[in-house]
Amino acid sequence: MSMVKNHMSKKERNELAKIIEKENELILRLGRMIRNSALIFLACVILCIWGWSGMIDPMLPNISEGVRTVVKWVALIGAIISGVFTILAFLSHRNGKKSLLAKIDRFQGKD
């Protein structure tokens, strides 16, 4: 049984190299977005804990209960949205890396 390798033309290789480069940039950008959304999620969770715990902050001792209620609900909504975005972006990042590695293997002829 002979194995026939599928060789790409120079034009196809150049196009694939450009696609790989663009996809790599997008994956790196997505990684930064994941980091930022995770930080936003963490900040929202901290505000939620502060809002629902009722603790008195030494730096802001005169916060009214109305402001605390608004902050805790806005932070809860922000935490839910940023948490869902972080999870979806992480899954997209993982699948994008798999796709990029498959294209790199194809570029190197490891089919």
Side-chain angles (χ1 to χ4, degrees):
M1 184 163 97
S2 67
M3 296 188 69
V4 178
K5 281 202 169 186
N6 193 3
H7 294 285
M8 292 186 288
S9 68
K10 187 172 183 174
K11 182 180 177 183
E12 290 173 332
R13 285 182 62 81
N14 288 338
E15 288 176 6
L16 186 58
K18 288 178 186 177
I19 291 170
I20 289 171
E21 185 178 340
K22 287 179 185 177
E23 202 168 308
N24 189 37
E25 290 173 14
L26 291 174
I27 289 173
L28 291 174
R29 190 178 307 160
L30 188 59
R32 288 189 294 269
M33 288 171 58
I34 291 170
R35 181 194 64 215
N36 292 339
S37 64
L39 290 174
I40 292 170
F41 174 74
L42 183 64
C44 288
V45 167
I46 289 171
L47 284 174
C48 281
I49 292 171
W50 173 80
W52 260 291
S53 70
M55 78 171 118
I56 298 173
D57 188 16
M59 293 184 69
L60 303 167
N62 299 328
I63 299 291
S64 69
E65 200 57 40
V67 172
R68 186 181 295 268
T69 302
V70 170
V71 168
K72 70 182 174 185
W73 284 106
V74 169
L76 178 64
I77 292 168
I80 291 169
I81 291 172
S82 63
V84 168
F85 179 80
T86 302
I87 291 168
L88 293 175
F90 175 75
L91 293 173
S92 178
H93 186 263
R94 187 181 68 179
N95 291 335
K97 284 172 71 173
K98 287 179 184 178
S99 171
L100 181 63
L101 290 174
K103 287 178 181 154
I104 290 172
D105 286 345
R106 183 172 169 225
F107 182 78
Q108 294 176 345
K110 294 181 182 178
D111 289 7

